Amino acid sequence: DVNALFGVSSGTSMSVSDIAGKVSESVQTLGEDAKSALLTQLQQSAEQAKALAKQQLRSSLLAPLNELQARANDLLAQVNNGSILVLGTVVDSLGISGFTSATLNPGVAGLPNFATFGLTDYKMEFAPPTNGSKFSRLTTLGATVIATQAWTLTGSISVTSFALSVLMSTDTAGNRKFSGSVSGSVALGKFVFGLVVPFNQPGKNLEFMLPQVTVGGV
């Protein structure tokens, strides 16, 4: 599950204030005390869900090195049996002269073979035609690119997991919005660090996760 492993957004989401506004519109028949209690409960549930998702993401990105390596091996096995569509396959299928899957392998120390990167979590939504048009409007387009194998940056520093998510959404006025995130894990020897870099996602901030150190059982 890409969403769980890398904290990738599953699409357009509502903030706590948005939810509160919608509920407030729908429960006008309730008394003020009941309405306030319901909104408070919803806000608490939303905050708890947000905290749980954050903890799950931390656990995923800061998993033990052997677990991350096993996860990478599983992804590579899925690539080999054809379960995951990779960039190299897409490029080769285009049949562009001089641009093949081999081009995606820079062969430079510290860089991965991009041909082995997988495409997943596709999103494509259309809206009915408007203004007399006969064609539907593309309102949502997105995908996530994941590394299906680890690669070494230099020495004992390696990228053990990586995901790049991009989402384009278009509102009824035709305005387009691009958002997404970069997330993954980097191993320095046996120590694992996590990183999440969201862009154009209100309420989400850059996170650099340090490995938890236990001293004296605490």
Side-chain angles (χ1 to χ4, degrees):
D1 185 346
V2 176
N3 297 334
L5 290 177
F6 298 102
V8 174
S9 172
S10 58
T12 303
S13 59
M14 297 179 66
S15 66
V16 173
S17 59
D18 291 334
I19 295 174
K22 291 294 184 181
V23 172
S24 181
E25 294 173 1
S26 305
V27 295
Q28 294 299 327
T29 57
L30 294 179
E32 289 302 319
D33 291 342
K35 186 188 300 183
S36 177
L38 178 58
L39 292 177
T40 299
Q41 182 178 358
L42 286 172
Q43 289 173 337
Q44 291 176 344
S45 298
E47 290 298 333
Q48 290 172 355
K50 182 178 179 180
L52 178 60
K54 186 175 181 179
Q55 180 58 42
Q56 290 176 334
L57 175 60
R58 180 180 178 84
S59 298
S60 173
L61 295 183
L62 294 183
L65 184 57
N66 59 345
E67 182 177 327
L68 291 171
Q69 291 171 336
R71 191 186 301 164
N73 291 336
D74 179 64
L75 285 172
L76 185 57
Q78 292 185 58
V79 170
N80 292 334
N81 64 28
S83 299
I84 295 180
L85 177 64
V86 295
L87 292 180
T89 300
V90 174
V91 169
D92 287 339
S93 66
L94 296 176
I96 301 176
S97 178
F99 185 58
T100 66
S101 57
T103 311
L104 298 178
N105 185 5
V108 177
L111 293 179
N113 179 3
F114 295 102
T116 65
F117 277 42
L119 281 170
T120 184
D121 202 34
Y122 317 108
K123 301 180 183 72
M124 183 178 290
E125 297 178 4
F126 291 89
T130 57
N131 300 324
S133 173
K134 297 181 179 180
F135 302 98
S136 299
R137 296 181 297 109
L138 178 63
T139 58
T140 303
L141 180 64
T144 298
V145 178
I146 60 173
T148 59
Q149 54 185 284
W151 75 89
T152 299
L153 293 175
T154 183
S156 60
I157 304 176
S158 61
V159 177
T160 54
S161 67
F162 174 87
L164 167 64
S165 176
V166 178
L167 179 68
M168 182 206 73
S169 56
T170 308
D171 62 19
T172 54
N175 299 313
R176 292 181 178 177
K177 173 187 174 182
F178 291 89
S179 61
S181 63
V182 175
S183 56
S185 308
V186 176
L188 177 57
K190 64 178 182 179
F191 297 101
V192 177
F193 301 84
L195 181 67
V196 179
V197 184
F199 53 92
N200 206 16
Q201 294 190 42
K204 292 188 177 182
N205 301 313
L206 182 149
E207 291 186 63
F208 181 66
M209 305 173 188
L210 297 173
Q212 183 174 347
V213 178
T214 301
V215 180
V218 179

